[in-house]
Amino acid sequence: MRAWWSAPLIIGAFAALFWLERRRPLRSAVEPKVTRTARNLTLAGISAVALQLTEAPAALGLAALVERHNLGLLKLVSLPVWLETLFGIVLLDYTLYIWHVLTHKVPFLWRFHLVHHVDLDLDASTALRFHFGELAVSVPWRVVQVIVIGVSPLSYLTWQVFMFLSILFHHSNVELPIRMERWLNRLFVTPRMHGIHHSIVHEEADSNWSSGLTIWDRLHGTLRLNVPQREITIGVPAYRKPEDVELLRILPMPFGKQRPSWQLPDKGEPRREALPMPSDNLLP
Ligand SMILES: [Zn+2]
């Protein structure tokens, strides 16, 4: 029971962001946009199939079960549907924050999440390039999320659409007017904020883990807003060459020997003069 309007909404959002990225790019591109977009969409296509086969039936089937048997935290109290849906979305967002931290900190999970981070540029197509393995290994987490929180099918489907739009938006390479971005960023993850998470500087990649609401980074002290975009190099230090990130290299990447991610080929680690944290000052 997927909402019929979710596919056109997502395709429309991607097309609008693609157009805006050409008109108002936030960061200058390293690789040609057409080549990258084709590569990222191919990876996305493979992942979409993996998702349909694994997560979609597992999570939605479970959400129906949760609803039928009143399982999970949200079912302990009786809430109006709108409030239960809202809490369901907020708690899914928080537990996704925790999952994102784990994908960076647990070496086995990082092997997969690395594929998303080695992209040399960051735009809406990066939002779609997750290795199918990362999506598959996230299914058990999703199952626990749904059961423990007590997520109804309505909450789950609404969250999925919200998350998809949010991920497309904050990966996009669109230069929003700074005042607008600062205003939006009080609540939602924005392109400049997520750009810092994709930096080759390790401490910067170890910040801004939120995927929807910024409150989780604020609460955990992992929010970093004070790195100007023009100073950011996107990617992972060990994989800096265009040939390192070709499709046939990144597909087998999680399964083979990997380089120490945060070291440049000459063994140094990219650093930036320590910036104070936390900072509420979002630089252009
Ligand atoms: Zn990440």
Side-chain angles (χ1 to χ4, degrees), residues 23-132:
R23 284 192 62 117
R24 291 183 60 101
L26 177 61
R27 296 163 291 258
S28 42
V30 175
E31 286 194 282
K33 191 159 171 93
V34 175
T35 320
R36 271 192 60 253
T37 307
R39 182 196 303 140
N40 289 353
L41 290 183
T42 309
L43 208 61
I46 301 171
S47 297
V49 174
L51 210 61
Q52 283 305 314
L53 293 175
T54 57
E55 190 199 302
L60 272 179
L62 265 172
L65 211 72
V66 158
E67 186 88 325
R68 216 173 310 132
H69 298 282
N70 276 327
L71 304 172
L73 284 173
L74 288 175
K75 301 289 183 189
L76 293 176
V77 276
S78 112
L79 297 169
V81 175
W82 69 269
L83 200 58
E84 191 196 310
T85 308
L86 186 71
F87 281 152
I89 293 169
V90 169
L91 290 173
L92 280 168
D93 194 50
Y94 179 48
T95 41
L96 186 65
Y97 167 90
I98 300 173
W99 173 253
H100 190 190
V101 175
L102 291 174
T103 60
H104 278 253
K105 299 294 180 189
V106 178
F108 172 75
L109 298 178
W110 174 246
R111 299 184 75 82
F112 294 93
H113 190 54
L114 169 68
V115 176
H116 172 66
H117 273 266
V118 294
D119 203 349
L120 300 174
D121 292 297
L122 188 64
D123 63 18
S125 75
T126 316
L128 305 171
R129 63 163 275 159
F130 285 94
H131 195 278
F132 61 86

Side-chain angles (χ1 to χ4, degrees), residues 88-278:
I89 293 169
V90 169
L91 290 173
L92 280 168
D93 194 50
Y94 179 48
T95 41
L96 186 65
Y97 167 90
I98 300 173
W99 173 253
H100 190 190
V101 175
L102 291 174
T103 60
H104 278 253
K105 299 294 180 189
V106 178
F108 172 75
L109 298 178
W110 174 246
R111 299 184 75 82
F112 294 93
H113 190 54
L114 169 68
V115 176
H116 172 66
H117 273 266
V118 294
D119 203 349
L120 300 174
D121 292 297
L122 188 64
D123 63 18
S125 75
T126 316
L128 305 171
R129 63 163 275 159
F130 285 94
H131 195 278
F132 61 86
E134 175 168 358
L135 301 174
V137 295
S138 72
V139 173
W141 184 261
R142 198 73 79 239
V143 165
V144 174
Q145 281 180 295
V146 169
I147 294 181
V148 173
I149 300 170
V151 179
S152 67
L154 178 65
S155 299
Y156 192 78
L157 289 170
T158 316
W159 170 73
Q160 261 197 331
V161 175
F162 162 68
M163 194 43 58
F164 221 110
L165 293 176
S166 173
I167 289 176
L168 280 177
F169 169 64
H170 67 238
H171 283 91
S172 75
N173 189 27
V174 176
E175 187 187 18
L176 296 175
I178 188 66
R179 282 165 61 119
M180 182 190 185
E181 179 148 354
R182 283 183 182 149
W183 183 77
L184 270 175
N185 189 258
R186 291 179 192 192
L187 202 57
F188 300 109
V189 180
T190 55
R192 287 177 175 91
M193 172 180 170
H194 201 68
I196 297 171
H197 176 68
H198 276 262
S199 161
I200 61 167
V201 177
H202 196 177
E203 301 85 61
E204 291 167 8
D206 273 359
S207 65
N208 301 355
W209 274 300
S210 296
S211 296
L213 305 170
T214 53
I215 186 173
W216 318 122
D217 276 308
R218 293 179 199 279
L219 286 175
H220 287 274
T222 51
L223 184 72
R224 193 186 286 274
L225 298 176
N226 55 0
V227 188
Q229 296 298 303
R230 62 179 177 278
E231 289 183 15
I232 295 175
T233 306
I234 300 289
V236 171
Y239 301 91
R240 297 293 312 138
K241 296 201 200 89
E243 56 267 32
D244 291 335
V245 299
E246 280 169 5
L247 193 61
L248 291 177
R249 292 282 188 92
I250 56 179
L251 274 174
M253 197 176 257
F255 311 110
K257 191 170 158 30
Q258 293 185 348
R259 307 170 188 168
S261 303
W262 302 101
Q263 275 177 20
L264 290 163
D266 63 11
K267 295 280 188 284
E269 210 180 291
R271 296 229 170 257
R272 197 187 311 283
E273 199 153 318
L275 290 162
M277 257 184 93

